[in-house]
Amino acid sequence: MTQAAYAIVNLSAVKHNLEKIRAYAPNSKVLAVIKANAYGHGLLRIAEALMDVDAMAVARAAEAIRLRKAAYSNRIVILEGFVCEQELIELMQYDLDVVVHSIDQVEVLEKYTGPKKVTVWLKLDTGMNRLGFKVADLNTVYQRLLNASHVNPAILLMTHFSSADEVSNHTTQQQINIFHDAVKTFFGETSLANSAAIIAWPDSLTDWVRPGIMLYGVSPFADRKGTQLGLEPVMSLHSRLISVKMIEPGDAVGYAGTWVCKTQTKLGVVAIGYGDGYPRAAKVGTPVLINGRRVPLVGRVSMDMITVDLSTQPDTKVGDSVTLWGDGLAVEEIAEYSDTIPYTLLCGITQRVEIKKVNSD
Ligand SMILES: *Cc1c(COP(=O)(O)O)cnc(C)c1O
């Protein structure tokens, strides 16, 4: 008997994707981005597959502390840094690198006198206007950090792109130029590239690259799938058919009766819904794989179930296995049918979905 909703996370695919990243950026070290529970794949299990990476990045302290408590001794960077002295002290107890993006953080660092020196990734805002110092402030901030007695003088410099996934948007080249120009008189290592930039913007490949989505085998570009970029999907989401029946012309299916059947139809009910992280916005026609064959979603996505039109699959029966995305059905495609990006689908997998890991090619 097949199981209700579960996901398979293929660690061999993570390793394959890491190799691919190294091939795209052969002269760079890899800061593997495993924030948000490793994009929904499970923090510790992905960290396990990435043991030989140069460093790992998470957004928040709690994620890094989980890694340390599980005995991961790799270099870890906190992308959002800290907001006060107490938080910095805690981060330093766990030997974590911090991103420094605001003058408030610089003030905290100037007062800090802990036992170890703080390793800083100094973030420049080259146009995204989210986190980071303006280029005009770089010199002053850098000097203040160098003068702080408990800051490691090997300060790294980084920036983040707003539009690297749009390959004909000139913003990225402008950000790259602003960054290179701003840092040319400084000595530290630098880091610019996220996944999209690793593939599309060679001038952004410096000492460190910061891949996230491509580690999970997913394309950062709207018009290409991960498999077309040589990546292997890491997560596949599965469930099973729990009901199969005939419905009659005029029958309205699901909440609000938005889909009305025109001819006698074989209707299947699959045990997956937005309570598992399947997108409620998935439109009628979104492909679903049953026994490896595509059928269209019909009606609205409910919390625990979706309905599919099985007319083209007369042999399907209760208990048959269903793939919502993964091998043979790209999560990129489901994102498109749901007017979202694959990032939100992967991150959105909920607690009740059991995640099984496998190591297979
Ligand atoms: C999330 C994140 C990344 C990774 O982005 P992808 O598009 O998933 O490759 C890199 N750098 C920073 C600062 C991030 O926040």
Side-chain angles (χ1 to χ4, degrees), residues 82-94:
F82 54 91
V83 300
C84 62
E85 190 185 3
Q86 230 175 337
E87 259 182 48
L88 177 62
I89 290 169
E90 183 173 27
L91 293 179
M92 291 309 292
Q93 278 166 2
Y94 291 98

Side-chain angles (χ1 to χ4, degrees), residues 6 50 53 57 77 81 114 120-121 150 178 232 265 270-271 278 280 283 297 309 314 316 321 327 356:
Y6 66 96
L50 293 172
V53 87
V77 182
V120 167
W121 295 62
H150 286 71
I178 291 170
E232 285 175 13
T265 297
V270 180
Y278 191 83
R280 183 174 177 278
K283 294 195 222 347
L297 179 117
D309 180 348
T316 44
S321 79
D327 277 339
K356 306 174 186 191

Side-chain angles (χ1 to χ4, degrees), residues 33 35 39 79 123 130 158-160 192-196 198 210-214 216 220 343:
V33 180
K35 63 194 179 188
Y39 290 48
L79 293 171
K123 189 164 191 176
R130 200 177 57 179
M158 66 181 286
T159 195
H160 193 49
L192 297 87
N194 57 2
S195 298
I198 290 169
R210 306 191 305 271
I213 196 79
M214 68 188 295
Y216 310 100
Y343 296 70

